[in-house]
Amino acid sequence: MPKVSRRPDPARPNALDVFTDRTGLIEAFERLLAAKQPYENNVLVFYGEGGIGKTTLSQKLEQLLSHKHSDHNGARLDFASPGTTEPDTALFRLRQCFPAFPFPTFTLALIHYAGRFHPEAPVITQATPLIDRAGPYAGVLDELLKQAVSVAKEAPLIGLTLNVIKSVTDTSQILRSWYLHRAEPLLRNLSGKAQQELIELLPQLWAQDFRDALVAMSSPDELYNEELARSLPAPVIFLDTYEALWHGGLGRQGEHRQLREEWLVSLVGELPQVLWVITGRNRLHWQPYDPAWEACCEQHLVGSLSDGDATAFLAKRGISDPALVATILEHAAGVPFYLELETQLHDKLAPEQRVPEAFGGSHELVIERLLSHLEISEAETMSLMASFGSWDAALFHDAIQHFGTGYPPSACERFAQGWSIEQPAPGQWQLHNEMVLHLQQHDQRTRPDTFAAWHRWGFERFDGPLAEREIKDITPADGERLGRALAHARHIYEPEELCRWFEERSKLLAKGTIWRDLVPVLEDHQRWVEESFGPDHPEVANTLNNLANLLDTLARYEEAEPFYRCALAIKEAAYGPDHPEVASTLDSLANMLRTLSHSEEAEPLFRRALAIKEATYGSDHPEVASTLQKMATLLETFSRNQEAESLYIRALKINEAAYGSDHPAVAGNLNGLAILLCRTSKYIRAEPLFRRALSINEKILGPVHPHVAGYANNLATVLRRLSRYDEAEPLFLRALTIEERAYGPDHPAVARTLYNLAILLGDLSRYEDAEPLFRRALAIEDTIYGPNHPNVAFTLRSLADLLCDLSRYEEVEQLYRRAIEIDETAYGSNHPSVAATLSNLANFLRDRFLFEFAEPLYRRALAINEVAYGHDNPEVAGCLYNLARMKENMDRHQEAFPLYQQALETWQRAYGSDHPDSIEAQRSLTRCQESLMSDG
């Protein structure tokens, strides 16, 4: 619970501050602390309803630790405080709770994590908190921060330079020791890690640094002696408001709770030296992580204050009349919040008015009595501000001025000194939850017009800036505005009207790049809709579908898929199987399945969606075009290129007729058609389509939207295939920078651009620069799609090609064969992707002079491509050329010559005579002809 600041005399006992005697709970803490073994995990849990005194108990135990057991280090973290529920920020806050501990290795990893995933985060943009109190490590961390900021601004943070760190750590023995034992092993394996891997690593590093710091404080010469760390007095870490850690997830049977807390379970497990004291509303349920947690967690229900506790507190506040005490105890029911209200009322009454009849009654009556003794302007302002949840000085000023409560608009901080007002963060204030609940219910019941006016004003304040927001101007602040507007909308709109407004706003904001900021807002809306309409209502399906779309965009497919399927089931039950709402979800689910290479399942879903849309809207509607476009992309993966091209062209004609020639939907059609042309090596035709698509999106979406990045990436790919490397490289780098900042660095779009940039660097013989990009792309794809996805095979093949160029042959054949196995499983044995890897493996075997193993692979690849593309295609020419080279290496020039000739003619028709492939084929043909003449 946030610290409460109050106007009354701070020396006067307060029911929320003065701890009353909970002997049994204190004894449990003392017993565990005394018996703490450094090799055994111990978690002490106090749980119970809100307002019952758990935070006060935790604070009392912290004071007890400080006064009675001062040899034990202690700290507390309240998850209700802003910025404490995500693993990176929570661990950073917990790091700050131990100001004497430097945490250098954790900080090193946090710099890397924040630089890659959140370059806008304060830990990167404001260096001081990271290096403050870092002792001898401050210099090296400062250097790393400078590097991280520099790299994050110019290009993606791919890795940190070991030489830079080593040059700083060479200045002292302690830094050299840290470098050898901690920093160097970490850095050598850091840049290739995906986001989830880093999240899992951060608690381990935090715990490692914590143990090192404990030892260093006791024995500076034994920094890395973990036995010594275990022999020291047990530190105690208090974690309060535990439920806030996972309330951000969906409420549907709590299925996302594990995603929110598993990092903390890891941290606790890494530190058996620590006694953990956790307070929250519910028992801990950590057994799914490991059944052993059941025995490690000692859990106590915190009930109401005993009558003896409450009587002792009332006596300290000067209330001792037996009849008066009995009345207060009966109606406060041992809840500290209501005990305090009664004592506040007691202080405001004249002595002759302090009779039992003036106290007790319902909790609502107790609050009403107290409010009746406040100045009218203060009571009215309290009711008004309860409408906003939280406020800052600007909101306070504008609201008071607009509604004229009589309180000075500029006196926000003076008002905030009143009792029951909390300060959750600097410059932010809020009323105690119990007070908010009462005031809102009371005002809604007794003066509904005023209540509605307050919320309508609040709604317009937050929704107003969103109503006409341009896509290119959408910022993370708009996500917060949507959440605040939603809270007010629930009090002024009917549920159906609210859902229509919210869907319109959220879909608009989702066109920007603030998807991560929108997810918790949509989660909150989904819970409310389910509670309001019931779990099987179509509105629930809409919210699930929209949330799944966001998660799909963020490549969180495992979370998205069950929401799509649940939405589909609800819609089919509510509307029947042939409704356009059903088609919409079929379309989205099928497209995600296509992305995951579940193509066999995706195609019938697309065809069903298309049939529904054509029957509903007619054959020339943009909704039909949307499904045609996605379905065409699917058909490409089956090498059904003629079918795909006809669908792209049909979708393009529909959207140009509906929207005109400069609409994002048209750009999408142009982009898809151009990709298909590239697949069939028609690069010259593809280039103007990519340029037109890129121009449309830059105009509509702005220069830094990820859709723009995608089209820039595609245009760069064409330019690379046309050997216009100087034009391609800056486009790839631009795309990579945009996508990393929009999606985060471990998104499939980022992997695609990393891959394409690596291919370009390979073409330029910059092999050492290309390898880490391939490996990073591979790590992303393996994490997102799983190890048996065709995209993984694609990258494996290219990495193997690169290792051949680097003459590092030990991995090569294994990589090629794994890629072939993946593609054969995904596509069947006669797919062009299989042919491409067969050719590359054959090249590898040919260069090892294993001709008898290479030739059947070449001939199989040639047969596949002739069926897929026809005889007069650059891909077929590539197979012919490779086979010709092998024949030439075997001195079988008579067989090689016609193969070279056919490859040259095909490439000249496709690319022109000046293309590198054509030039190389001409050289080989000439060389072979000369050899034939020599043979003759």
Side-chain angles (χ1 to χ4, degrees):
M1 178 185 295
K3 184 178 180 181
V4 179
S5 56
R6 304 175 182 81
R7 186 185 314 163
D9 181 1
R12 182 178 61 181
N14 185 289
L16 297 183
D17 289 337
V18 176
F19 183 78
T20 53
D21 186 16
R22 301 234 173 161
T23 306
L25 304 180
I26 294 177
E27 287 177 350
F29 172 76
E30 294 269 29
R31 171 175 45 78
L32 277 181
L33 186 62
K36 183 76 183 79
Q37 296 296 317
Y39 299 96
E40 296 178 1
N41 289 101
N42 295 102
V43 183
L44 180 59
V45 182
F46 298 115
Y47 68 98
E49 292 299 319
I52 211 67
K54 301 181 299 295
T55 294
T56 305
L57 171 61
S58 176
Q59 291 169 341
K60 174 66 176 180
L61 295 177
E62 187 180 18
Q63 294 170 7
L64 183 67
L65 183 76
S66 175
H67 297 151
K68 187 177 177 181
H69 307 284
S70 57
D71 55 333
H72 295 258
N73 283 281
R76 68 180 294 105
L77 182 69
D78 189 346
F79 287 122
S81 300
T84 55
T85 57
E86 294 298 325
D88 55 327
T89 53
L91 287 165
F92 176 67
R93 293 292 179 86
L94 194 56
R95 168 197 186 274
Q96 292 179 307
C97 293
F98 292 92
F101 291 19
F103 291 94
T105 318
F106 167 76
T107 304
L108 177 61
L110 188 62
I111 290 170
H112 182 84
Y113 177 85
R116 285 178 59 192
F117 290 86
H118 302 294
E120 78 291 347
V123 295
I124 287 294
T125 59
Q126 302 169 16
T128 303
L130 269 181
I131 60 176
D132 188 30
R133 298 182 296 272
Y137 306 95
V140 64
L141 296 177
D142 186 45
E143 288 295 323
L144 291 172
L145 267 171
K146 289 175 183 175
Q147 184 185 15
V149 172
S150 173
V151 174
K153 286 180 179 177
E154 299 298 330
L157 183 59
I158 295 170
L160 299 175
T161 306
L162 284 166
N163 290 337
V164 172
I165 304 167
K166 193 171 186 304
S167 66
V168 178
T169 56
D170 277 343
T171 60
S172 79
Q173 178 61 41
I174 188 173
L175 291 177
R176 280 197 298 274
S177 181
W178 169 70
Y179 175 79
L180 291 173
H181 288 87
R182 300 287 190 246
E184 185 178 28
L186 172 67
L187 286 170
R188 289 200 180 280
N189 193 35
L190 201 58
S191 62
K193 288 190 177 296
Q195 181 179 18
Q196 187 57 38
E197 290 178 300
L198 284 172
I199 287 292
E200 292 169 0
L201 182 63
L202 288 176
Q204 300 171 29
L205 298 177
W206 196 100
Q208 185 182 79
D209 282 347
F210 186 82
R211 291 192 297 267
D212 290 344
L214 286 175
V215 174
M217 293 178 67
S218 174
S219 179
D221 295 331
E222 298 190 65
L223 284 175
Y224 302 104
N225 185 333
E226 295 198 8
E227 289 300 318
L228 180 57
R230 293 190 177 105
S231 69
L232 298 171
V236 182
I237 297 179
F238 299 87
L239 303 175
D240 199 12
T241 325
Y242 186 78
E243 66 276 3
L245 184 65
W246 46 268
H247 272 176
L250 286 178
R252 298 174 63 84
Q253 293 81 48
E255 59 252 33
H256 289 291
R257 177 172 173 175
Q258 180 172 333
L259 299 175
R260 311 279 174 157
E261 68 182 2
E262 58 188 7
W263 67 269
L264 180 60
V265 177
S266 173
L267 178 66
V268 175
E270 289 281 342
L271 287 172
Q273 301 89 347
V274 175
L275 173 60
W276 299 83
V277 181
I278 298 178
T279 51
R281 288 181 178 266
N282 306 101
R283 288 177 59 90
L284 286 192
H285 294 283
W286 286 2
Q287 296 93 313
Y289 302 104
D290 188 330
W293 282 116
E294 176 70 19
C296 297
C297 297
E298 181 176 316
Q299 310 207 49
H300 296 267
L301 175 65
V302 180
S304 304
L305 295 178
S306 69
D307 285 351
D309 295 339
T311 300
F313 164 71
L314 293 175
K316 293 177 182 178
R317 291 287 292 267
I319 305 174
S320 56
D321 177 79
L324 188 54
V325 168
T327 298
I328 293 175
L329 292 185
E330 177 185 356
H331 295 283
V335 179
F337 177 78
Y338 291 102
L339 277 173
E340 178 62 25
L341 285 181
E342 294 283 39
T343 60
Q344 291 276 335
L345 178 62
H346 179 271
D347 293 344
K348 291 181 180 298
L349 293 174
E352 64 275 11
Q353 296 175 312
R354 295 170 179 168
V355 295
E357 292 75 18
F359 297 87
S362 68
H363 288 168
E364 291 78 9
L365 181 58
V366 172
I367 293 176
E368 277 301 306
R369 284 203 196 100
L370 177 60
L371 291 175
S372 70
H373 289 275
L374 298 179
E375 295 178 3
I376 293 176
S377 64
E378 185 175 5
E380 186 70 2
T381 299
M382 189 174 289
S383 290
L384 171 60
M385 300 319 294
S387 302
F388 295 101
S390 65
W391 65 87
D392 57 15
L395 176 57
F396 183 88
H397 176 277
D398 293 349
I400 301 307
Q401 191 170 60
H402 181 82
F403 289 104
T405 65
Y407 203 87
S410 60
C412 178
E413 295 207 17
R414 176 160 66 87
F415 177 77
Q417 297 302 309
W419 187 82
S420 84
I421 296 177
E422 304 165 345
Q423 188 171 11
Q428 292 284 328
W429 295 274
Q430 64 188 33
L431 280 163
H432 190 284
N433 285 339
E434 293 287 332
M435 185 66 77
V436 169
L437 182 63
H438 169 79
L439 290 173
Q440 288 283 280
Q441 291 176 341
H442 178 268
D443 289 326
Q444 187 174 26
R445 184 176 65 252
T446 60
R447 44 178 179 169
D449 292 342
T450 300
F451 177 84
W454 290 342
H455 282 288
R456 182 162 296 282
W457 184 87
F459 172 78
E460 292 171 355
R461 181 182 181 89
F462 292 108
D463 182 59
L466 305 178
E468 299 180 358
R469 180 72 81 220
E470 294 285 336
I471 295 173
K472 58 188 175 183
D473 297 328
I474 294 171
T475 70
D478 292 321
E480 181 183 358
R481 289 189 184 98
L482 179 65
R484 298 293 296 268
L486 176 62
H488 290 291
R490 288 170 180 165
H491 297 291
I492 61 175
Y493 282 143
E494 293 298 319
E496 292 82 2
E497 186 182 10
L498 182 147
C499 289
R500 287 194 295 272
W501 161 80
F502 183 80
E503 183 161 11
E504 178 184 341
R505 286 292 185 271
S506 60
K507 285 187 174 180
L508 170 65
L509 296 184
K511 293 178 181 178
T513 62
I514 61 167
W515 307 296
R516 282 189 295 267
D517 302 280
L518 290 177
V519 167
V521 183
L522 263 70
E523 287 178 342
D524 177 53
H525 181 59
Q526 189 277 330
R527 285 194 301 273
W528 180 86
V529 169
E530 189 168 325
E531 292 169 0
S532 300
F533 292 96
D536 299 321
H537 194 278
E539 284 295 350
V540 174
N542 288 337
T543 61
L544 288 171
N545 194 92
N546 294 340
L547 179 56
N549 284 337
L550 273 187
L551 297 170
D552 192 349
T553 301
L554 290 167
R556 291 161 60 177
Y557 305 122
E558 188 177 351
E559 297 173 67
E561 184 173 351
F563 295 154
Y564 278 138
R565 294 191 184 278
C566 183
L568 180 61
I570 294 171
K571 287 181 177 182
E572 286 179 324
Y575 299 127
D578 299 322
H579 193 277
E581 284 291 334
V582 172
S584 175
T585 303
L586 285 168
D587 207 37
S588 298
L589 174 59
N591 198 50
M592 190 187 75
L593 292 172
R594 176 195 62 79
T595 300
L596 293 172
S597 199
H598 300 160
S599 305
E600 298 293 342
E601 184 181 1
E603 184 173 2
L605 299 183
F606 274 136
R607 293 199 179 280
R608 183 181 162 200
L610 182 62
I612 294 171
K613 288 183 176 183
E614 287 180 324
T616 302
Y617 303 117
S619 59
D620 295 326
H621 192 278
E623 281 291 334
V624 172
S626 174
T627 303
L628 290 170
Q629 171 85 9
K630 296 169 188 171
M631 190 170 170
T633 305
L634 174 70
L635 294 177
E636 282 187 65
T637 65
F638 295 126
S639 296
R640 291 154 61 181
N641 298 325
Q642 289 185 337
E643 290 180 72
E645 184 172 359
S646 66
L647 297 186
Y648 280 132
I649 292 173
R650 182 182 164 195
L652 177 61
K653 289 179 179 178
I654 292 172
N655 283 330
E656 284 185 322
Y659 300 126
S661 59
D662 292 327
H663 190 274
V666 172
N669 301 142
L670 292 167
N671 183 68
L673 181 57
I675 290 173
L676 178 64
L677 292 173
C678 290
R679 186 180 289 273
T680 52
S681 304
K682 297 170 184 174
Y683 303 113
I684 295 174
R685 286 180 56 195
E687 182 186 350
L689 301 185
F690 280 135
R691 289 195 182 277
R692 183 180 161 199
L694 179 61
S695 176
I696 291 170
N697 270 341
E698 285 180 322
K699 179 180 177 182
I700 302 297
L701 305 177
V704 295
H705 194 281
H707 289 178
V708 170
Y711 294 170
N713 178 77
N714 292 342
L715 175 59
T717 300
V718 166
L719 296 173
R720 181 191 68 78
R721 295 305 297 259
L722 294 172
S723 300
R724 290 155 62 183
Y725 303 120
D726 290 344
E727 297 175 66
E729 185 171 4
L731 284 172
F732 280 135
L733 291 172
R734 176 189 174 196
L736 192 53
T737 300
I738 294 171
E739 287 167 342
E740 283 216 322
R741 292 186 177 178
Y743 297 120
D746 287 340
H747 190 277
V750 174
R752 175 196 59 192
T753 306
L754 286 167
Y755 173 89
N756 289 336
L757 179 57
I759 291 288
L760 173 70
L761 296 177
D763 290 344
L764 295 171
S765 300
R766 290 159 57 183
Y767 306 124
E768 298 289 347
D769 295 329
E771 183 181 359
L773 303 187
F774 276 134
R775 292 197 182 276
R776 184 176 160 208
L778 187 61
I780 295 170
E781 291 164 348
D782 196 74
T783 299
I784 296 295
Y785 299 128
N788 298 314
H789 191 278
N791 284 11
V792 173
F794 208 69
T795 307
L796 286 169
R797 182 177 74 217
S798 297
L799 177 59
D801 294 343
L802 180 75
L803 294 176
C804 286
D805 292 329
L806 288 168
S807 300
R808 288 164 48 192
Y809 304 123
E810 60 277 3
E811 291 182 70
V812 171
E813 184 171 357
Q814 178 185 358
L815 294 176
Y816 282 139
R817 293 198 181 278
R818 182 182 164 205
I820 291 170
E821 182 181 353
I822 293 171
D823 280 339
E824 286 183 328
T825 301
Y827 299 133
S829 59
N830 295 315
H831 192 274
S833 289
V834 176
T837 313
L838 287 169
S839 291
N840 292 9
L841 175 57
N843 289 341
F844 173 73
L845 296 173
R846 177 200 66 203
D847 293 342
R848 309 278 81 68
F849 304 105
L850 300 171
F851 303 126
E852 69 275 20
F853 298 105
E855 183 165 357
L857 301 182
Y858 280 135
R859 294 201 178 277
R860 182 182 165 198
L862 177 61
I864 292 171
N865 282 338
E866 284 180 332
V867 171
Y869 299 123
H871 293 278
D872 190 21
N873 182 274
E875 294 295 331
V876 173
C879 293
L880 292 168
Y881 180 84
N882 288 331
L883 183 58
R885 278 196 61 190
M886 188 193 71
K887 295 293 185 182
E888 185 181 12
N889 291 346
M890 298 170 71
D891 294 327
R892 291 158 64 174
H893 303 107
Q894 194 70 38
E895 297 175 54
F897 185 82
L899 299 175
Y900 276 139
Q901 191 171 36
Q902 188 177 344
L904 173 62
E905 291 170 356
T906 301
W907 277 336
Q908 285 179 331
R909 282 192 294 271
Y911 303 142
S913 299
D914 296 332
H915 189 274
D917 287 350
S918 301
I919 293 170
E920 181 61 30
Q922 182 64 67
R923 287 173 182 164
S924 298
L925 181 65
T926 301
R927 184 182 64 247
C928 186
Q929 188 174 28
E930 291 171 351
S931 297
L932 277 173
M933 293 173 63
S934 298
D935 293 342

